[in-house]
Every structure is written in C-alpha cells, then in structure tokens.
Amino acid sequence: MTGHTPTRRRVLRSGAALGVGGLGLALAAPAAANPGRGDERGNGTTFGRVYANDVLWRTHVVKILEERPDPEDRIYFLHDGERAIVDTEDASDDQQSPFVSESAPGDQDWNGGKWTHFSAEVTDIDAFNADAPLTNAEAVLEKPYIEVTLGRPDFGPPDFFICPLNGRA
C-alpha cells in the first residue's frame, strides 16, 4: 500500500478543513458579487453614494441631527423640483448619485460627515445632461441652471445629519 489508510481522525480533520474553507468562500462571495453598486448591506444598512472631489464614495446615515452642526460639511442634493435627479426620467444616467459634497476624507476641511443639507434644483435638464456627471461642489455651484438654497425639498433627506463617507464606491 502506498497511501495512508483513512482513519476516523483523518476523515474528521479533512472534513473540518473543507468546512472552514467553504465557510470562508461563502462569506467572501457576497462582497465579491456586489462591488460598489449601492446596494451592499452591512448590519441591515443600505449604503448610498456621494460624490466628493470627483470620486464616488459609499455612505449611510447614522444619525439625524436637530441643529446645524458646527463645524459642518456641506452636501448638495441635485433634484428637478419633484424628485432626485437620478430618478428623473429625462436626466443623464451618467449621474450616479444626486448627492455632491464639498469635501471628503483626507481634506483639511473634512469634518467627518456632519452634514448641512443644501437643495440644488436643476432648472434646465438639457444643460445638466450636457455637463453630467457633476462630481464636485465647484461644478454644482458654478452652473447657472442650478439654484442652491439652504435646506432640503420636501422629498429630500433631513436638513442636518451625520453620514460618514466610508470607502470608495
């Protein structure tokens, strides 16, 4: 005989090793199958997307605030007056998020995602489509067809909230 005789102990050890290896693959599969699509889940949380400094970031709201934070990060919510710009049928699909931040992790003025919400109403969809995607605050603020005001429209997220940017999308 050239091989080892399978004993109960060897069978149990190899079965346990296969089980642990299979568990590792099972845990890694959801992350690999769903990279940055906006619907990853972690502890029951659905992640959203925010553009900051031309990068699309992953995020989720962790706390709604009663007062305007100080210091704050400003976030601009692009919409057409009735719905988020990404839900507007005629708007460009190049815009992957209606949210655009003035800062991001690593910036000197980053405050950890303590947001003050600004409404950014797109008044000319054709002009928006020609420029989309808008991926930084400067692009939002310089467009003559975007009206920026403090606060949110009735259908937007809360005025003040904590929403850290926790990884690139």
Side-chain angles (χ1 to χ4, degrees):
M1 278 208 281
T2 59
H4 294 286
T5 306
T7 64
R8 183 171 190 258
R9 176 175 267 172
R10 284 192 183 125
V11 170
L12 290 175
R13 270 193 223 159
S14 61
L18 288 172
V20 169
L23 178 61
L25 287 173
L27 293 174
N34 207 359
R37 300 255 191 262
D39 53 358
E40 301 97 332
R41 299 198 181 264
N43 298 330
T45 302
T46 300
F47 291 92
R49 298 286 181 261
V50 174
Y51 282 109
N53 301 338
D54 304 315
V55 173
L56 190 60
W57 292 82
R58 187 176 77 146
T59 188
H60 70 280
V61 175
V62 296
K63 185 177 181 182
I64 296 173
L65 303 173
E66 298 296 321
E67 298 178 354
R68 189 171 183 173
D70 183 26
E72 69 182 3
D73 296 306
R74 294 180 179 204
I75 193 164
Y76 302 96
F77 176 61
L78 293 165
H79 64 91
D80 70 354
E82 296 179 20
R83 65 191 66 80
I85 201 68
V86 295
D87 297 330
T88 302
E89 197 171 297
D90 297 338
S92 172
D93 290 337
D94 291 338
Q95 190 74 33
Q96 296 180 37
S97 173
F99 299 102
V100 180
S101 169
E102 69 174 355
S103 58
D107 290 354
Q108 188 171 2
D109 60 344
W110 174 245
N111 294 302
K114 298 173 192 164
W115 302 106
T116 297
H117 186 128
F118 287 81
S119 170
E121 184 173 354
V122 176
T123 59
D124 184 339
I125 295 293
D126 291 332
F128 169 80
N129 288 342
D131 293 334
L134 302 182
T135 60
N136 61 65
E138 294 77 19
V140 171
L141 295 172
E142 74 181 11
K143 303 301 178 198
Y145 57 84
I146 297 178
E147 296 177 9
V148 175
T149 56
L150 176 62
R152 64 177 178 87
D154 293 336
F155 53 85
D159 286 331
F160 315 115
F161 52 99
I162 297 175
C163 184
L165 300 183
N166 52 13
R168 292 177 185 225

